[in-house]
Amino acid sequence: MNSYCGRSFGVDIQLAEIERDSIRTLLCLEGEQLAGYAQIWNSVPPDGVGNDDAKELRRLYVAEEWHGLGLAQQLIDASISIVSGDGSKAIWLAVWENNPRAIGFYNKMGFVEVGEQAFYLGSDRQRDIIMALSLNPSCR
């Protein structure tokens, strides 16, 4: 976990992501406190997504003290609106198979399981579920 967090998080890393044109970062602020954030990446979708014109929802996080207050739903809704407004046909994400709360939330938001991928936490191979949401109004 320490290795992953060291490679993936930190002031310099997040600043570089915020400044990168291919990543859109959404912030949820309560006053001056960061309550949550999400990122939309222009990533190549995995095979199961079935649509090359899809964006990835990555790093949807809400601080624990803000859980259950609808902030995650606001971040998802804003992400879907942005991706749809960009003309993309789908939005996808990867979620750890042992995170039933997140999986249930994404299901509630209309995402469906379309595949899986490996995620390495150090040398430990984990399984992520790939979930996708079609942005075609006739398919929602």
Side-chain angles (χ1 to χ4, degrees):
M1 181 64 79
N2 289 337
S3 174
Y4 169 73
C5 287
R7 285 189 331 270
S8 303
F9 299 98
V11 173
D12 292 340
I13 293 167
Q14 266 58 67
L15 182 59
E17 289 175 352
I18 289 169
E19 292 176 341
R20 192 186 302 164
D21 290 337
S22 62
I23 300 172
R24 295 180 84 172
T25 301
L26 303 136
L27 303 177
C28 187
L29 301 170
E30 292 293 330
E32 293 186 19
Q33 184 178 5
L34 179 63
Y37 78 102
Q39 292 182 321
I40 302 166
W41 288 52
N42 292 332
S43 305
V44 176
D47 292 335
V49 173
N51 194 322
D52 289 337
D53 188 17
K55 299 274 190 324
E56 180 184 8
L57 176 62
R58 191 184 289 194
R59 291 192 180 148
L60 173 65
Y61 295 118
V62 173
E64 189 172 357
E65 62 266 28
W66 301 103
H67 283 189
L69 300 176
L71 300 184
Q73 183 164 347
Q74 290 177 33
L75 285 166
I76 288 267
D77 289 344
S79 298
I80 290 169
S81 179
I82 288 168
V83 170
S84 182
D86 287 347
S88 294
K89 305 294 184 223
I91 186 169
W92 67 277
L93 57 88
V95 59
W96 184 39
E97 69 177 333
N98 292 319
N99 190 344
R101 182 176 180 172
I103 294 167
F105 172 72
Y106 296 132
N107 279 323
K108 181 178 142 189
M109 297 302 298
F111 286 80
V112 295
E113 185 174 340
V114 297
E116 63 180 62
Q117 68 183 14
F119 176 83
Y120 286 89
L121 193 56
S123 61
D124 186 23
R125 186 178 193 273
Q126 308 274 318
R127 177 178 170 259
D128 278 355
I129 296 170
I130 303 297
M131 301 182 80
L133 173 68
S134 171
L135 299 178
N136 179 344
S138 64
C139 296
R140 288 185 74 191

